[in-house]
Amino acid sequence: MTVPTVPTFSAAALIAANTTFKVLLDAGAGAAFVRVRNSADLLLAQIPLNDPCGTVSGTTGQITFSIAGPDTAADASGTAAYAEFCDSTGLVHLALPVQVGTSAVPGKAVLNTLTIVAGSPVTLIAATLG
């Protein structure tokens, strides 16, 4: 085994941890959602997740979030810096850095753009963890 440069968990540990995390996000009467904020913590957009919020791989433990749709009208203009994954009551359980892209990047929330314009749509392309 090579010396790890980042924390390295067994698949069993990731499956257990991410399954519990998914249950935490899905608790409550409604669906979980993602808040997109700039570096000054200004709320730029809110993107709904499906209910349940995603799936956990039974092989790797990776959680892949299931996005219900875009925010059709962003709350404010600014440059996206991070995304908060919230349960249906708005309690934040995870914050991830954001980046622009067209496919999933583990540990990142991938958006269609980092330049958010108030009233314009914002799409969470993909988000995976683990």
Side-chain angles (χ1 to χ4, degrees), residues 23-119:
V23 168
L24 188 65
L25 279 177
D26 286 334
F33 60 94
V34 176
R35 290 183 183 132
V36 178
R37 295 187 181 272
N38 69 6
S39 60
D41 300 324
L42 176 69
L43 176 64
L44 301 178
Q46 296 186 86
I47 300 165
L49 296 176
N50 285 319
D51 192 2
C53 68
T55 57
V56 176
S57 167
T59 304
T60 66
Q62 183 178 62
I63 185 169
T64 300
F65 294 97
S66 178
I67 299 118
D71 179 339
T72 57
D75 296 278
S77 297
T79 302
Y82 68 100
E84 297 175 324
F85 288 72
C86 308
D87 64 20
S88 64
T89 68
L91 184 61
V92 177
H93 291 288
L94 171 69
L96 290 177
V98 295
Q99 72 176 53
V100 172
T102 57
S103 60
V105 176
K108 304 278 177 114
V110 180
L111 300 174
N112 64 317
T113 183
L114 295 183
T115 305
I116 310 294
V117 177

